[in-house]
Amino acid sequence: MSRITSTFAELGPRKALIPYITAGDPHPSDTVGLLHALVRGGADILELGVPFSDPMADGPVIQRAAERALVHRVSLRDVLAMVREFRRQDTQTPVVLMGYANPIERMGLSNFAQAARDAGVDGVLVVDYPPEEAEAFTAAMRAEKLDPIFLLAPTSSDARIAQVGLLASGYVYYVSLRGVTGAAHLDVDAVSAVFPRLRTQLKLPIGVGFGIRDAASARSVARVADAVVIGSALVQLVEKAGPDNAEHELQDFMAGIRAALDEETSA
């Protein structure tokens, strides 16, 4: 059983809180401390973004974070080194790498999978590996006991949902809206309406992200989802707080979201 699967099993009826930050933002030396701050604030699973020069699924907030990291020439191997350092103190919290195919293809699928396993990565989500073209990726991940995680969206067909159900493990990431990260027009009713269709074809936990910015929106999504994914709001907080205050502010923000999710479970 993977760390991700174990985490969901241990949560029981509680909802998983999955924060995202970009590796190397605002500086490579800050990332590990920020990850630990997220865990102290109540994170159950961590998503760590791999900086890329053309992040097609991301809005301006995460684009700027990737640009700040790339100024310091943060590479995929650097990100794996950050995970390895994080594992020196935390051997329990699952870490999912989220990014794009180009850096992985350059390293080679098999080499990447082995390096990710050795660093302590638990799952990998590649935005531009559609499930119809991801058999090699999935095989490489499973060979190293890593969870391949896939995106679904409001536009996903029944055929794509079924394909994701066959390939994915760990959890499935449902994009709540048509657009990029950081959008503010979250429609919880629309998310709720699609979940019965998802549940009939997916046996994995379903996390919802894109457009979740605060405790109220997180709690609303938690009424239907198994996990809440928050990214742009955290990256924006890091951007505004600066390196001296980011850890403290991330921890406090996460604690507020964690409390809201637990209140929803109790209700």
Side-chain angles (χ1 to χ4, degrees):
M1 184 180 293
S2 72
R3 263 190 292 240
I4 295 174
T5 301
S6 296
T7 294
F8 277 104
E10 292 166 4
L11 281 169
R14 296 174 68 227
K15 306 297 179 154
L17 177 54
I18 308 178
Y20 166 100
I21 60 170
T22 301
D25 175 46
H27 188 275
S29 62
D30 298 320
T31 299
V32 173
L34 294 176
L35 292 174
H36 287 304
L38 292 169
V39 175
R40 291 195 300 269
D44 299 296
I45 298 169
L46 299 167
E47 284 188 357
L48 184 60
V50 179
F52 185 55
S53 57
D54 188 21
M56 65 187 76
D58 294 307
V61 171
I62 293 180
Q63 287 182 24
R64 290 195 300 270
E67 290 168 1
R68 289 191 293 270
L70 291 173
V71 165
H72 299 287
R73 305 182 69 83
V74 174
S75 68
L76 177 55
R77 292 189 185 279
D78 293 325
V79 177
L80 293 175
M82 293 171 189
V83 176
R84 190 176 296 108
E85 184 180 348
F86 172 77
R87 284 282 173 240
R88 292 175 183 171
Q89 295 183 44
D90 188 322
T91 61
Q92 299 301 316
T93 307
V95 175
V96 173
L97 295 189
M98 184 171 182
Y100 296 85
N102 185 282
I104 293 174
E105 293 287 339
R106 184 169 182 177
M107 184 182 290
L109 276 174
S110 180
N111 290 338
F112 164 72
Q114 293 173 23
R117 176 208 62 197
D118 292 345
V121 171
D122 299 283
V124 182
L125 193 166
V126 183
V127 174
D128 46 351
Y129 276 155
E132 297 86 356
E133 301 175 11
E135 289 187 5
F137 163 71
T138 302
M141 297 305 105
R142 288 183 172 167
E144 301 299 339
K145 296 182 170 53
L146 300 172
D147 286 321
I149 297 166
F150 289 91
L151 297 169
L152 288 172
T155 54
S156 296
S157 64
D158 286 341
R160 173 160 285 193
I161 295 170
Q163 185 71 7
V164 166
L166 291 173
L167 295 178
S169 62
Y171 61 95
V172 172
Y173 188 141
Y174 181 75
V175 176
S176 67
L177 47 83
R178 297 173 177 86
V180 295
T181 58
H185 50 283
L186 175 66
D187 186 343
V188 177
D189 290 338
V191 174
S192 300
V194 78
F195 256 68
R197 183 162 67 99
L198 298 176
R199 295 289 191 197
T200 61
Q201 298 190 67
L202 299 174
K203 304 306 179 185
L204 294 172
I206 303 171
V208 173
F210 285 45
I212 301 170
R213 306 193 61 81
D214 52 27
S217 55
R219 184 168 181 171
S220 295
V221 166
R223 291 171 189 153
V224 293
D226 304 300
V228 173
V229 185
I230 304 180
S232 293
L234 297 175
V235 175
Q236 191 169 46
L237 187 154
V238 170
E239 182 178 27
K240 291 181 176 179
D244 293 337
N245 299 313
E247 285 189 26
H248 176 73
E249 295 201 20
L250 273 186
Q251 182 175 336
D252 284 353
F253 183 89
M254 288 293 292
I257 303 294
R258 177 77 268 169
L261 297 185
D262 290 344
E263 288 169 7
E264 181 58 33
T265 301
S266 299

